[in-house]
Amino acid sequence: MSGANATHNFYAMLDAAMARAGETIAFEEENGAATSYAALRDDVARMAGALTDLGVTVGDRVTAQVEKSRTNVLLYLATLQIGAVYNPLNTAYTPAELDYFIGDAKPALLTVDPASRDALAPIATGHGVTAIETLDATGTGSLADRASTAEPNADIAACGADDLACLLYTSGTTGRSKGAMITHGNLSSNAEALHSHWRFAPGDVVLHALPIYHVHGLFVCLHTALLNGSMMLWLPRFDLDAVIERLPRATVMMGVPTFYTRLLSDSRFDRELVAGMRLFVAGSAPLLAETHTEFEARTGHRILERYGMTE
């Protein structure tokens, strides 16, 4: 770790938590593949090396429009580690919409799905983007290839609490989307507050079925799990059967309202299935009062609603 202010880099907090977690499993993926926290730290260092090789440096924007994968998490964490600014974009955005976001964010690196690269390359180069890499839904692509052979970079950039860490665009309900500027201090205080108030403890297992291009999946769910050294049951998306299969092993689940209405539509979802659960969180959209009532009647649990950092 370098520099007197290095501890203000939010990644330093996560790195210390991951070091404590050691060989605890961090990710259990849908196919059963497991990654320990020790291995995760090593993988982040290799991704940081790849970003450094691409010329990404402190303050540079790293824009990503990619499907959810463990490699996508490595890109996010490595961006924080080297002091660059992570800018995730909704995978549903069209090239015309991306033209606005890329022009506004002015990234040094754009990472996209391999199938989108040719269509987006002229837009990116037109806005001065010097590096374009790819990642697909399985976490493979040119950026993953670079990371696999890169010299690991474990140095954590010195950042002040007010230094920019992430740039997330709002939904644009009152005009064009605006970039919400999230600092390292914002991320640290949010993660610590949620970890404390939601009473995360050793042994908590987090079911992660949210996308990670917005606050709920990327910050609220991921950060609390990493800070706690929790195992994440990692799903690429909400799949009813996959979620019901994993709920008996989980203690925490975060979702959007449709997750809960779909669970309530299935007779397998009952009090016995969630006997080991202690926390259900909803966000990103309002939850109907009827859903609250039916959920509590069915399971004995209440759903906790929360607001995000771009709301």
Side-chain angles (χ1 to χ4, degrees):
M1 193 179 298
S2 59
N5 293 325
T7 51
H8 289 297
N9 185 324
F10 176 57
Y11 183 72
M13 180 186 293
L14 296 182
D15 183 64
M18 293 192 292
R20 290 192 298 270
E23 294 303 321
T24 301
I25 298 300
F27 290 93
E28 182 186 287
E29 299 182 62
E30 194 172 30
N31 63 4
T35 305
S36 71
Y37 273 96
L40 179 61
R41 291 179 77 215
D42 291 342
D43 290 344
V44 173
R46 275 190 285 274
M47 181 62 77
L51 295 182
T52 303
D53 290 344
L54 286 164
V56 181
T57 189
V58 174
D60 282 345
R61 273 66 164 164
V62 173
T63 296
Q65 190 198 34
V66 296
E67 296 294 342
K68 178 181 180 180
S69 69
R70 190 184 67 88
T71 315
N72 184 186
V73 175
L74 301 180
L75 172 59
Y76 167 56
L77 296 178
T79 299
L80 295 181
Q81 181 197 313
I82 66 172
V85 179
Y86 188 67
N87 169 222
L89 295 177
N90 192 317
T91 52
Y93 285 146
T94 64
E97 289 170 313
L98 286 171
D99 185 35
Y100 164 71
F101 293 120
I102 294 169
D104 191 64
K106 295 180 171 55
L109 168 65
L110 173 68
T111 305
V112 296
D113 188 275
S116 305
R117 191 191 187 286
D118 289 347
L120 297 177
I123 294 171
T125 54
H127 288 295
V129 179
T130 54
I132 306 171
E133 298 292 332
T134 62
L135 280 181
D136 66 14
T138 68
T140 59
S142 65
L143 186 59
D145 292 342
R146 282 183 177 274
S148 69
T149 58
E151 186 71 25
N153 172 14
D155 292 336
I156 299 176
C159 295
D162 292 334
D163 286 346
L164 192 60
C166 295
L167 186 65
L168 276 83
Y169 283 90
T170 64
S171 57
T173 51
T174 57
R176 272 204 132 157
S177 295
K178 299 171 184 66
M181 300 172 75
I182 310 295
T183 67
H184 284 273
N186 293 151
L187 296 180
S188 299
S189 63
N190 180 256
E192 288 183 307
L194 295 180
H195 183 272
S196 172
H197 286 292
W198 291 353
R199 300 175 187 172
F200 273 84
D204 268 327
V205 175
V206 178
L207 203 166
H208 197 308
L210 288 160
I212 55 172
Y213 53 70
H214 64 43
V215 163
H216 200 173
L218 185 64
F219 294 165
V220 179
C221 197
L222 184 67
H223 289 172
T224 49
L226 294 176
L227 196 58
N228 197 58
S230 285
M231 177 167 74
M232 283 177 278
L233 304 177
W234 186 256
L235 294 173
R237 66 192 64 79
F238 182 90
D239 175 270
L240 185 60
D241 290 334
V243 168
I244 285 176
E245 179 186 336
R246 287 161 178 77
L247 272 171
R249 298 174 53 210
T251 64
V252 176
M253 176 180 159
M254 304 187 194
V256 295
T258 53
F259 285 17
Y260 296 112
T261 55
R262 289 179 66 189
L263 283 168
L264 287 168
S265 73
D266 195 295
S267 60
R268 294 172 293 174
F269 184 67
D270 58 17
R271 195 173 292 246
E272 184 180 355
L273 186 78
V274 298
M277 290 290 296
R278 66 168 194 85
L279 177 64
F280 288 98
V281 177
S284 307
L287 199 68
L288 294 175
E290 304 90 87
T291 306
H292 276 290
T293 303
E294 184 182 353
F295 194 91
E296 185 174 1
R298 179 88 70 90
T299 67
H301 288 279
R302 291 181 177 178
I303 301 172
L304 177 69
E305 279 197 279
R306 57 116 208 110
Y307 289 91
M309 294 169 79
T310 58
E311 296 173 275

